[in-house]
């Protein structure tokens, strides 16, 4: 099997993956850009696990780690890059390494992931597309390796699983997901506090932004499509931006009867970042492909240029084609 | 032990509770008023379970059952009231029987509940205050009684547990909660669809109401208290009311730094239903007691009379005393 680069990508079993990790001593663990709870939780759980084995490791994130993850994402040791074993977690494509792509994109030794869309850019890959989160895989890996899990590792793992499943709500959840959660409850994880931080805490300014965004709500195609706009002005006036805006896309799919929720976030004078959320059988990645983007079946994105009116028109045309197909 | 009425209340073990249910043949199962997923899920799971044993049973709800529960809450058989065994589920106090209180308040034979505040109004009580939901207890009961659980029973149980824990987010969740969820995944429950219905689907009109409510947001006491108002006018203009407004109270506690979220819903010209949501160590039931109401540590309610300004003043005074205590 070939990846998109020129190197071979070897698919590992979980056991082979465990053996691989036991064999080396210096690890650089990479997360994807715009880090979420799963890539961070997986990276840190692996970091703490490798530490337990007496190995050197560090976590490198392409972007600043949001403060809300401070309860498990601590500053890690320094590892000399030369000769280190590079492990990526939850990274489906080397482009998702963002600012780290040039340095690490072609030299990832091991990738541990759960995205079915994984482009096999690493030399070795453990992929379990049935796992609800990469953190679910890391839990199995640590268990298989008989590595002691401590409270902070358990917090990191719980965070990865809870955030990537929308708190156990998504179709990706299985009995195994709940069993792992039950096992993590044996540690002092204070899950309700994690959930409060991850799901139920927003800033005052975000509340104000949401209020303004709700005013822009438009319904199209017999109310099957809801469209929300986050203009540059709203972002400036409220001071909201970046990963803080993640939750808006969820709102776009939350109304009864809506099959495709669209959020258009202005990122430049004539540029909009479009997030699409769909319910089956509609495929968000199909809509975004038409716009030059991509993603998952339920959640995808693209960048569209033009004035707001022009961009809207392009997006709605793509949604229409998909809803009619 | 005496309950607030004059009859004795006998505390049962789970095994005694199971034996009790095996002994009788005609059951009337009561839910609490303003029914939620737990009281309904528990009632219907018990109903299906008793049916499996060949017993006659019916579910009676003091209010209309919201349509969104249609996937498990079907019309039940008719049971002649005279001589029937009356079982209440998830009913902490006979007042919560609402319109059924007069008929059934003093003749509940068995109450199955998880509220620590249970007033022991029934003749027999199985209370497990460590259960995250009454549905968790019903699952244990059906298992202990070796009653076959089928898909619809599993859906009812999952609904009860998921809704009463805010989708596994609250502090009441334990390892056991997740293990039961894992076991329910063995059935064809389509959990993600249940979660979509329960948590991520709102009407267009509710979206509009939420937007209007966000405009009323006030912050008090160094932003430790957030106050939202749902005026009669908003309810009329949008057409929103009843259980549809449940989710608003959650918003009131969702802002960073807020320890006490208050929602004031106008229910009359000079009357407001107040919902309080707090984070530990602050106790919502303490705040509501001062206003003549009550409830749980994290969520409580009261009815306050006066103009909006007067009512606000009373409520804020109660919040202040609690925050300062």
């Amino acid at each position: 099997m070939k990846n998109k680069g020129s190197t071979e990508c070897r698919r590992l079993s979980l056991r082979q993956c465990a053996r691989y990790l036991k064999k080396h001593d210096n690890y650089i663990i990479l997360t994807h850009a715009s880090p979420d709870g799963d890539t961070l939780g997986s990276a840190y759980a692996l970091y703490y696990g490798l530490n337990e084995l007496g190995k050197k490791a560090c976590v490198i994130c392409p972007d600043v780690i949001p403060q809300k993850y401070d309860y498990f994402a601590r500053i890690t040791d320094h590892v000399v890059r030369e000769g280190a074993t590079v492990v990526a977690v939850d990274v489906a494509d080397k482009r998702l390494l963002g600012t780290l792509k040039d340095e690490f994109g072609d030299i990832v030794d091991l990738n541990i992931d759960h995205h079915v869309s994984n482009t096999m850019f690493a030399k070795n890959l453990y992929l379990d597309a049935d796992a609800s989160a990469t953190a679910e895989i890391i839990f199995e890996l640590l268990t298989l390796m008989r590595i002691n899990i401590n409270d902070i590792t358990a917090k990191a793992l719980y965070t990865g699983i809870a955030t990537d499943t929308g708190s156990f709500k998504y179709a990706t959840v299985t009995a195994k997901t709940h069993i792992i959660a039950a096992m993590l409850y044996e540690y002092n994880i204070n899950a309700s506090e994690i959930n409060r931080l991850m799901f139920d805490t927003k800033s005052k300014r975000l509340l104000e932004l949401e209020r303004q965004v709700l005013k822009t709500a438009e319904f199209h195609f017999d109310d099957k499509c809801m469209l929300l706009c986050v203009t540059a002005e709203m972002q400036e006036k409220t001071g909201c931006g970046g990963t803080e805006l993640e939750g808006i896309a969820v709102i776009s799919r939350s109304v009864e009867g809506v099959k495709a929720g669209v959020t258009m976030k202005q990122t430049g004078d004539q540029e909009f970042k479009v997030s699409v959320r769909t319910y089956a059988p509609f495929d968000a990645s199909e809509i975004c492909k038409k716009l030059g983007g991509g993603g998952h079946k339920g959640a995808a994105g693209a960048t569209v240029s033009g004035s707001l009116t022009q961009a809207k028109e392009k997006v709605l045309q793509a949604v229409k084609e998909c809803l009619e197909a």
Side-chain angles (χ1 to χ4, degrees), chain A:
Chain A
M1 240 180 300
K2 293 260 179 190
N3 70 4
K4 284 186 178 171
S6 58
T7 51
E8 293 281 337
C9 176
R10 190 165 68 111
R11 288 288 293 266
L12 306 184
S13 68
L14 193 67
R15 201 163 290 278
Q16 286 173 319
C17 186
R19 247 185 260 133
Y20 188 96
L21 288 169
K22 284 205 169 158
K23 232 168 32 191
H24 302 84
D25 289 309
N26 291 294
Y27 288 95
I28 290 174
I29 305 168
L30 306 178
T31 74
H32 64 66
S34 302
D36 58 14
D38 192 25
T39 199
L40 290 170
S42 298
Y44 276 90
L46 182 59
Y47 165 76
Y48 293 123
L50 292 171
N51 274 351
E52 282 283 322
L53 289 183
K55 298 187 184 288
K56 268 196 178 285
C58 71
V59 173
I60 308 182
C61 177
D63 297 313
V64 174
I65 298 176
Q67 239 186 352
K68 65 176 176 177
Y69 299 107
D70 276 2
Y71 61 95
F72 71 80
R74 310 224 171 124
I75 297 198
T76 59
D77 307 331
H78 180 73
V79 166
V80 177
R81 300 200 175 191
E82 237 159 291
T85 303
V86 179
V87 182
V89 287
D90 200 44
V91 181
D93 187 295
K94 65 174 142 183
R95 284 179 305 172
L96 299 172
L97 289 172
T99 56
L100 298 175
K101 180 180 153 272
D102 289 348
E103 184 177 357
F104 291 107
D106 294 320
I107 58 161
V108 173
D109 295 298
L110 172 63
N111 192 2
I112 303 171
D113 190 26
H114 75 127
H115 294 92
V116 67
S117 59
N118 191 291
T119 56
M120 305 205 273
F121 65 92
K123 290 173 205 153
N124 297 281
L125 170 67
Y126 178 70
L127 175 70
D128 178 1
D130 292 328
S132 71
T134 297
E136 207 179 295
I137 302 172
I138 303 291
F139 176 85
E140 293 187 288
L141 204 49
L142 297 183
T143 306
L144 182 65
M145 293 168 80
R146 301 193 188 179
I147 293 176
N148 179 43
I149 289 177
N150 47 38
D151 290 348
I152 196 165
T153 315
K155 282 181 189 190
L157 291 170
Y158 180 85
T159 302
I161 294 171
T163 54
D164 241 35
T165 59
S167 188
F168 305 94
K169 283 193 301 199
Y170 298 161
T172 50
V173 171
T174 63
K176 199 206 266 178
T177 315
H178 278 291
I179 286 169
I180 293 174
M183 292 170 91
L184 294 173
Y185 263 80
E186 299 304 324
Y187 301 90
N188 184 18
I189 58 172
N190 200 352
S192 64
E193 178 60 16
I194 293 178
N195 291 322
R196 189 178 73 75
L197 273 169
M198 295 297 120
F199 298 107
D200 297 324
T201 306
K202 57 181 81 170
S203 60
K204 252 167 107 170
R205 61 189 194 183
L206 181 58
L207 195 79
E208 173 54 23
L209 181 97
E210 283 187 5
R211 191 181 70 73
Q212 293 185 22
V213 169
L214 287 181
K215 268 201 276 192
T216 72
E218 286 177 20
F219 292 86
H220 297 275
F221 316 127
D222 291 331
D223 293 358
K224 283 198 187 68
C225 172
M226 176 173 169
L227 191 141
L228 297 172
C229 291
V230 189
T231 64
E233 198 193 342
M234 288 177 195
Q235 296 174 60
E236 271 159 41
K237 275 200 177 162
T238 59
C240 285
T243 54
E244 231 183 338
L245 303 176
E246 275 169 9
I248 306 281
V250 176
I251 301 174
S252 74
R253 198 178 55 174
S254 68
V255 170
E256 228 170 349
V258 167
K259 303 295 181 194
V262 177
T263 308
M264 301 187 54
K265 189 179 81 183
Q266 192 166 11
T267 46
D269 192 25
Q270 297 274 313
E271 193 187 81
F272 294 85
K273 218 189 133 195
V274 177
S275 298
V276 179
R277 296 285 182 276
T278 53
Y279 282 120
F282 302 104
D283 186 335
S285 71
E286 284 302 315
I287 295 173
C288 289
K289 249 188 230 163
K290 291 179 201 287
L291 300 165
H296 296 276
K297 274 192 175 175
T303 300
V304 176
S305 58
S307 68
L308 179 56
T309 314
Q310 290 166 334
K312 255 190 208 173
E313 213 168 283
K314 288 182 200 172
V315 174
L316 288 173
Q317 182 58 34
V319 172
K320 194 181 170 199
E321 285 167 20
C322 175
L323 290 176
E324 284 173 352

